[in-house]
Amino acid sequence: MHKAGFVNIIGNPNVGKSTLMNALVGENLSIITSKAQTTRHRIMGIVNGEDFQIVYTDTPGIVNPHYKLHESMMGFVHSALQDADLFLLVTEMGETLKNQEVLQQVIHSNTPIILVVNKIDLSDQATVEDKMAYWKQQIPQAIVVPASATQRFNIDTIFHHIINLLPENPPYFPKDELTDRSMRFFVSEIIREKLLLYYKKEIPYACQVVIDGYEEKEHIDNIRAVIYVERESQKAIVIGHQGQSLKRVGIEARKDIEEFSGKRCFLDLHVKVMKDWRNNENALRQFGYEAQ
């Protein structure tokens, strides 16, 4: 008997979905920062065993759209609602799922639900038990699991519940595949993660990273990346005085790219302005987002 299925991870921004995804997959496939709305695409992580294949999908956090970009991000969420074999609904101690439309779709989907109460390491036992009781009342059919993705607490418990709930299916992907995304995609995400870490306020959200060139050689990869921003003032901030800010992004991104690829790389970063790209449907298509 072989089990296989899509385990779709959904929840509000900043509840630790990406950290949980990475802990379950065992690889850093999704951006992890303290800022909300870091995941923009639907990212798959594939875990294989002798008699199972789990296809995890990390979706963007559930938001009320302010840009066409947000509409596309929510499109990824709604597509994840349609094709899930199992929902991993991630919450944290101090919050409830704000988007009732999404919550109701999950509850009434007849798809098994594992509700993860994440970040319990930041609370006490009595509060955790109260929060678990709250969610059990809200979604009686869900398996409610307290967890801490950063501490890897109860990751094994979540995994065993997933295995038990997976339907019988042949593998969807070759057994040696880790993800459906290319190396170019992960390089762009690593660079975008550094932008989220090193810049404040609106700057990182106004940035889009495009890999303009990727030349693989035997001992080193030559990578050219363009960081698009929306205004000249943002370009100046990203570059920084005498290029120092951009240089720091390049140094830190290169370290992570080399660790991820297992190979040395030369990273050439440039910054360009594309006015109001977050509301430009042509630009969004160019950057790999779907018009909604």
Side-chain angles (χ1 to χ4, degrees):
M1 179 181 71
H2 191 280
K3 291 187 164 189
F6 288 84
V7 178
N8 294 351
I9 307 172
I10 58 175
N12 288 334
N14 216 22
V15 295
K17 292 187 301 87
S18 296
T19 310
L20 181 62
M21 159 97 156
N22 292 339
L24 288 164
V25 174
E27 294 280 349
N28 289 340
L29 299 182
S30 288
I31 281 184
I32 305 169
T33 78
S34 60
K35 292 182 169 71
Q37 296 178 35
T38 53
T39 302
R40 286 178 175 173
H41 293 269
R42 185 178 178 183
I43 302 169
M44 290 186 186
I46 304 163
V47 175
N48 290 291
E50 273 191 30
D51 57 356
F52 70 85
Q53 182 177 84
I54 306 170
V55 184
Y56 294 104
T57 66
D58 184 18
T59 57
I62 297 164
V63 297
N64 293 318
H66 298 294
Y67 298 94
K68 289 188 184 297
L69 170 64
H70 292 156
E71 293 174 10
S72 177
M73 288 162 58
M74 285 303 295
F76 291 129
V77 174
H78 287 293
S79 69
L81 293 174
Q82 304 303 317
D83 62 16
D85 293 299
L86 170 63
F87 286 119
L88 212 55
L89 181 58
V90 185
T91 68
E92 66 170 346
M93 288 304 303
E95 61 105 42
T96 57
L97 197 65
K98 300 177 182 68
N99 190 308
Q100 286 299 310
E101 178 194 353
V102 171
L103 180 59
Q104 291 305 314
Q105 285 187 60
V106 170
I107 291 173
H108 297 297
S109 66
N110 295 319
T111 301
I113 303 165
I114 300 173
L115 189 141
V116 178
V117 182
N118 195 23
K119 303 186 182 181
I120 65 165
D121 53 309
L122 304 179
S123 192
D124 59 83
Q125 186 172 347
T127 307
V128 170
E129 289 174 355
D130 286 345
K131 182 57 76 171
M132 289 178 66
Y134 164 82
W135 281 114
K136 198 63 187 172
Q137 184 179 35
Q138 293 292 309
I139 314 177
Q141 74 270 34
I143 297 171
V144 181
V145 181
S148 170
T150 56
Q151 305 296 319
R152 295 193 60 84
F153 175 72
N154 263 351
I155 296 299
D156 286 344
T157 301
I158 296 168
F159 173 78
H160 288 305
H161 283 307
I162 290 169
I163 291 293
N164 288 335
L165 291 168
L166 278 184
E168 290 184 32
N169 281 312
Y172 290 100
F173 296 93
K175 284 282 193 170
D176 59 350
E177 283 196 20
L178 175 66
T179 179
D180 64 327
R181 294 287 185 172
S182 67
M183 181 59 79
R184 280 177 173 245
F185 174 81
F186 288 111
V187 168
S188 70
E189 287 290 273
I190 287 169
I191 297 167
R192 193 165 67 85
E193 180 185 43
K194 304 312 172 193
L195 296 169
L196 283 156
L197 288 171
Y198 297 140
Y199 297 91
K200 296 178 180 178
K201 298 182 180 177
E202 180 68 9
I203 293 296
Y205 299 105
C207 292
Q208 174 66 33
V209 180
V210 174
I211 305 304
D212 211 26
Y214 200 119
E215 183 186 12
E216 295 187 51
K217 294 188 175 181
E218 185 177 353
H219 300 295
I220 191 169
D221 291 341
N222 292 323
I223 303 169
R224 174 187 161 90
V226 178
I227 301 167
Y228 286 96
V229 295
E230 294 186 313
R231 297 192 299 274
E232 289 290 341
S233 58
Q234 294 167 345
K235 178 179 177 179
I237 293 169
V238 171
I239 293 172
H241 179 62
Q242 295 182 338
Q244 289 304 305
S245 298
L246 187 63
K247 183 179 179 181
R248 179 172 67 163
V249 168
I251 290 170
E252 295 303 317
R254 181 177 55 78
K255 290 178 187 176
D256 283 4
I257 292 165
E258 290 182 341
E259 184 179 346
F260 189 80
S261 68
K263 192 176 177 183
R264 288 179 59 220
C265 83
F266 171 76
L267 180 61
D268 184 22
L269 290 180
H270 299 265
V271 185
K272 294 183 179 180
V273 177
M274 183 179 288
K275 189 175 179 182
D276 198 27
W277 68 263
R278 283 179 290 181
N279 273 320
N280 184 322
E281 290 187 5
N282 289 332
L284 290 172
R285 286 193 198 93
Q286 178 185 331
F287 295 153
Y289 301 101
E290 299 170 6
Q292 300 300 316

